Amino acid sequence: MIQKYYGGCDIGSTTGKAVIIENTGIILGSSIVHREIDPEVTAALALEQALKNIPEINSIKDLAYLVGTGYGRSEISFASENISEISCHAMGAFFCDRSIKTIVDIGGQDVKGISINDDGTVKEFAMNDKCAAGTGRFFEAMARIFRMDLADFSDLSLNARDLIPVTAQCSVFAETEVISLLAGKNPPESIAAGVQNAVAKRCFMLLKRVGIIPKVTITGGCAKNRGLIKALEKALQEKIAPLSVDPQIIGALGAALYAKKRESR
Amino acid sequence: MTAIDSELKILLEKPLNHLVERAINEGMIPIGYACSMVPEALISVGKLFPVSMRAPGSEGTEMADLYLSSVICTYARSLLEFALDDRYKFLGGYVFTAGCDHLRRLHDNLDYLKKPGFSYILDIPHKTGGAALEWTIEEITRLASALEKQFDTDMSRESINKAIEKTNALNRALSAIGTLRKSKHPPFTGTQYHRLIMASRVSPAEYMMPLIEKFRKTAEDSEGRSEYRARLMITGSGLDDPEYTNIIESQGALVVADRYCSGSFPGLEPLDSSSNPFEALARRTLEVTRCPRMMEGFNSRAEYIAQIAEEYSADGVIIESIKFCDTWGLESAALTDQLRAKGIPVLRVEREYRQSGEGQLRTRVQAFIESIGH
């Protein structure tokens, strides 16, 4: 059997991700890079990095098929095809755990609720509107106010004894609200718990629209936010199933899996 | 198709297009309307002609926001902004219906801020039946008298019947082209047809007929389109911007049918010109428009959409509604369930009147097409 390699490239609003798989679906390489202004440049960088440790492949041209996804998907001229990130996240999560039925994907600028069929295809989905409240951008702004990096802010709420309600309906209002609460010498961990709780509620509303069927998992960059996972589990009254693969590259993984499917059609 | 499509695009760039200008120069009077329940044929009598009010290229509603609350839809706000910018100064007057609270507030504010030479609001019941029909006939008769008085236009039954014939001829010509979309390989895109319909709603019928004929001939000579991934139907609240359809089609869809205010269904259904014209117009308003503002008839409205989807072999239906539209906001929830129960895939999207969130719409449509297996 001739060994073939397939690529998936997920160009998000904050980062670019790439995954390279072989015939059997085994991940040979992956990467996460910061976004450049041009989505195509981001894609090239992400792929270059993902290919770096695979000696059998010299360049993107050696890939049998490449699928682009994410908000910059249509700008990747060297991709064989582009597929929506909704389908890719569903396929990626399904590949990691076939019993996953519901996904909440929190990316840099949007939140999606996805329910999936028995074959990994999308059954139903819902997205937030234009507003970036409750997305990665929102958490970045919050961490900045707390003068922390994202990782520390994610863990801050874990030690809260109580939560102080904060609105997540609007990033700008939330920002001013949190600044006032901090200035009022309220415990930072309780404010952080309020922030995580507000985002979890938004996710809950979105997931309600597609139906919450266990197992539920979380994908996207914000899946690494432990405080959010705790708040989500409380809001959903459901355990969030961890995935065997870095949740931030699930979209790119799904794209690579679609690449394999498409090429063998 | 490119040449005629470009001609239609030009007609949609601004409210006062060159055909309207020509008609005004020839002594005709444009009457603006913003609701499909307004009897278009009545404002087509004699020298009058209807102009569907749009706000193409709207860049914001700063002034209108001062007068209309934030829960009034952006269609009403955009129209007010345009009126405040004198973009509707060329109209001889407006005819509104109490179709929804948003348009009522628009009418109030136009009356207060930019009192036109003629302004009329029709009070239409929310139910059908004998009493409602009688009421609507009376309302339309009153409107006819007011138009006659203001514009010195003969509103005899013969004149109105003549205007009904004219409207029917226009709608029949559009409808005949529309049925070509049933074909497996329609000779034009949904966007091109949307432009044709909208251009016909904002230009005088007399001057549109040659363009419609040109579109028909070009379509006849064109090759069918086969490069689409899915056939879709769009339904929902007023959608007067063909660019929205274009975004949907940019994801590989072909829009083959539509059911929204100012669209082809049910707007192109012919009126009866042989009987009492006031009754024919009232029946059209009450029974043919199938507007969700009516308190009854949900099942028949849903059935109508399902039937069109089947007739035009649509693989799925997109239900769009403008944010804060009470009428379609409520209807779309129940409609989604009803259509899905019939096995029709549905994508429900909210939008603003002005084109925004294009990237998200593209993602939604692409994912929808993928989810229905195309």
Side-chain angles (χ1 to χ4, degrees):
Chain A
M1 188 181 174
I2 304 164
Q3 187 64 272
K4 284 186 178 177
Y5 304 95
Y6 306 94
C9 193
D10 177 3
I11 303 305
S13 61
T14 317
T15 54
K17 287 81 63 178
V19 168
I20 310 296
I21 59 169
E22 48 141 62
N23 286 352
T24 54
I26 289 172
I27 299 175
L28 299 176
S30 67
S31 69
I32 300 172
V33 299
H34 282 294
R35 179 187 70 98
E36 299 295 323
I37 291 170
D38 183 348
E40 191 156 30
V41 174
T42 314
L45 282 174
L47 283 161
E48 193 187 311
Q49 205 164 311
L51 293 170
K52 212 161 58 184
N53 299 322
I54 312 171
E56 297 88 344
I57 311 175
N58 295 316
S59 77
I60 296 166
K61 286 178 187 156
D62 295 332
L63 295 172
Y65 209 90
L66 172 68
V67 166
T69 189
Y71 102 100
R73 65 192 179 280
S74 55
E75 308 301 325
I76 314 170
S77 63
F78 47 82
S80 320
E81 189 186 346
N82 77 67
I83 293 178
S84 74
E85 58 268 38
I86 296 171
S87 295
C88 290
H89 275 268
M91 189 53 76
F94 176 77
F95 176 79
C96 296
D97 182 345
R98 291 189 169 235
S99 53
I100 297 287
K101 294 285 172 217
T102 314
I103 304 167
V104 55
D105 163 37
I106 311 184
Q109 67 181 14
D110 55 27
V111 186
K112 302 179 188 85
I114 308 166
S115 69
I116 59 180
N117 289 313
D118 293 338
D119 60 354
T121 56
V122 175
K123 186 176 178 187
E124 173 72 282
F125 66 91
M127 275 172 84
N128 65 321
D129 290 316
K130 286 165 290 181
C131 173
T135 66
R137 290 251 179 262
F138 176 79
F139 283 115
E140 277 175 9
M142 287 299 136
R144 210 170 40 241
I145 297 169
F146 281 83
R147 305 211 170 168
M148 288 179 165
D149 63 23
L150 263 175
D152 288 341
F153 177 73
S154 312
D155 289 351
L156 182 62
S157 65
L158 297 175
N159 302 319
R161 285 189 177 165
D162 194 8
L163 71 82
I164 298 174
V166 172
T167 174
Q169 293 304 316
C170 169
S171 299
V172 180
F173 287 152
E175 223 173 307
T176 49
E177 200 177 332
V178 169
I179 290 170
S180 304
L181 289 168
L182 283 170
K185 300 203 170 18
N186 290 287
E189 60 275 15
S190 299
I191 305 171
V195 169
Q196 304 286 19
N197 192 50
V199 176
K201 281 182 180 176
R202 274 178 74 93
C203 295
F204 173 70
M205 286 190 296
L206 211 60
L207 286 174
K208 267 299 213 193
R209 280 161 58 187
V210 301
I212 304 168
I213 302 170
K215 289 178 177 175
V216 181
T217 195
I218 180 168
T219 62
C222 294
K224 294 171 180 172
N225 182 333
R226 294 201 302 156
L228 176 63
I229 289 175
K230 189 181 165 194
L232 254 178
E233 287 180 335
K234 192 182 77 181
L236 303 181
Q237 294 184 315
E238 198 66 60
K239 197 97 188 119
I240 300 289
L243 295 173
S244 52
V245 172
D246 178 351
Q248 199 170 358
I249 62 163
I250 292 296
L253 171 62
L257 293 164
Y258 268 116
K260 183 171 164 279
K261 270 192 176 189
R262 292 291 208 260
E263 201 265 342
S264 54
R265 262 196 314 203
Chain B
M1 199 45 83
T2 320
I4 177 68
D5 194 39
S6 301
E7 279 188 67
L8 298 171
K9 255 189 196 172
I10 291 169
L11 293 173
L12 296 170
E13 279 171 0
K14 50 188 185 174
L16 178 58
N17 66 38
H18 65 90
L19 293 185
V20 174
E21 247 183 312
R22 187 175 138 198
I24 293 171
N25 291 340
E26 287 171 9
M28 292 172 74
I29 303 166
I31 304 292
Y33 71 102
C35 171
S36 58
M37 291 192 123
V38 170
E40 275 179 290
L42 196 67
I43 46 175
S44 306
V45 175
K47 58 190 173 186
L48 306 180
F49 69 96
V51 171
S52 174
M53 291 167 74
R54 302 166 64 242
S58 163
E59 285 296 334
T61 54
E62 293 80 4
M63 290 285 284
D65 293 348
L66 290 172
Y67 299 99
L68 295 170
S69 87
S70 56
V71 291
I72 296 291
C73 80
T74 44
Y75 174 52
R77 280 198 266 164
S78 303
L79 291 189
L80 183 60
E81 189 76 18
F82 262 45
L84 291 171
D85 284 343
D86 284 338
R87 305 283 304 273
Y88 279 114
K89 216 165 82 178
F90 67 92
L91 293 174
Y94 308 107
V95 176
F96 282 93
T97 60
C100 67
D101 283 346
H102 307 249
L103 290 180
R104 283 173 65 185
R105 295 293 82 79
L106 170 64
H107 169 262
D108 295 346
N109 278 280
L110 281 175
D111 241 28
Y112 169 64
L113 296 162
K114 283 273 169 189
K115 189 135 184 97
F118 180 83
S119 171
Y120 201 96
I121 185 158
L122 281 167
D123 190 6
I124 309 290
H126 285 267
K127 284 189 163 195
T128 51
L133 183 64
E134 220 172 283
W135 175 282
T136 310
I137 291 173
E138 211 180 304
E139 277 287 301
I140 291 175
T141 310
R142 270 196 213 143
L143 169 61
S145 303
L147 288 165
E148 188 168 46
K149 201 173 151 198
Q150 176 75 21
F151 300 108
D152 194 22
T153 304
D154 172 26
M155 282 287 173
S156 63
R157 290 185 174 209
E158 294 70 36
S159 294
I160 301 173
N161 272 332
K162 230 167 112 185
I164 290 178
E165 292 280 8
K166 184 169 67 178
T167 308
N168 280 349
L170 177 87
N171 288 344
R172 275 198 199 102
L174 290 169
S175 190
I177 295 172
T179 51
L180 298 175
R181 303 203 282 176
K182 285 183 185 175
S183 145
K184 196 174 176 197
H185 305 298
F188 46 84
T189 63
T191 310
Q192 288 164 338
Y193 189 64
H194 195 172
R195 284 194 190 112
L196 178 70
I197 292 276
M198 277 325 300
S200 308
R201 298 271 172 257
V202 296
S203 310
E206 290 85 345
Y207 306 150
M208 263 315 289
M209 285 305 265
L211 291 178
I212 296 171
E213 183 53 20
K214 197 172 165 185
F215 190 100
R216 189 189 64 78
K217 277 196 179 143
T218 316
E220 259 177 22
D221 299 339
S222 302
E223 262 186 47
R225 313 192 81 88
S226 50
E227 69 279 20
Y228 58 85
R229 289 171 70 189
R231 296 167 67 93
L232 298 180
M233 174 178 179
I234 305 180
T235 188
S237 59
L239 180 58
D240 64 21
D241 185 2
E243 278 317 298
Y244 193 84
T245 308
N246 198 24
I247 293 172
I248 291 170
E249 293 196 317
S250 73
Q251 296 310 299
L254 187 71
V255 174
V256 291
D258 57 77
R259 182 272 167 264
Y260 42 75
C261 321
S262 74
S264 60
F265 291 107
L268 302 178
E269 288 184 25
L271 280 101
D272 177 12
S273 60
S274 61
S275 59
N276 172 359
F278 295 105
E279 183 177 335
L281 293 172
R283 283 197 184 279
R284 177 200 172 274
T285 295
L286 283 179
E287 296 159 12
V288 178
T289 50
R290 295 180 179 86
C291 178
R293 78 179 277 280
M294 302 302 276
M295 302 299 287
E296 52 208 9
F298 168 74
N299 286 335
S300 97
R301 291 196 295 270
E303 196 50 52
Y304 182 71
I305 291 165
Q307 192 191 318
I308 295 169
E310 195 188 335
E311 238 175 84
Y312 283 76
S313 316
D315 300 309
V317 173
I318 294 181
I319 305 176
E320 53 79 25
S321 61
I322 295 185
K323 239 174 224 167
F324 303 117
C325 174
D326 319 310
T327 313
W328 273 98
L330 284 172
E331 184 88 346
S332 51
L335 187 59
T336 302
D337 293 344
Q338 188 101 339
L339 294 179
R340 281 184 182 158
K342 287 177 186 290
I344 302 172
V346 176
L347 171 68
R348 200 174 144 198
V349 281
E350 267 198 333
R351 64 183 181 91
E352 296 289 3
Y353 176 72
R354 188 164 71 108
Q355 201 60 258
S356 60
E358 194 181 314
Q360 289 209 332
L361 178 63
R362 283 182 205 276
T363 302
R364 280 178 161 110
V365 174
Q366 187 177 1
F368 179 55
I369 294 171
E370 288 160 4
S371 74
I372 55 181
H374 291 266

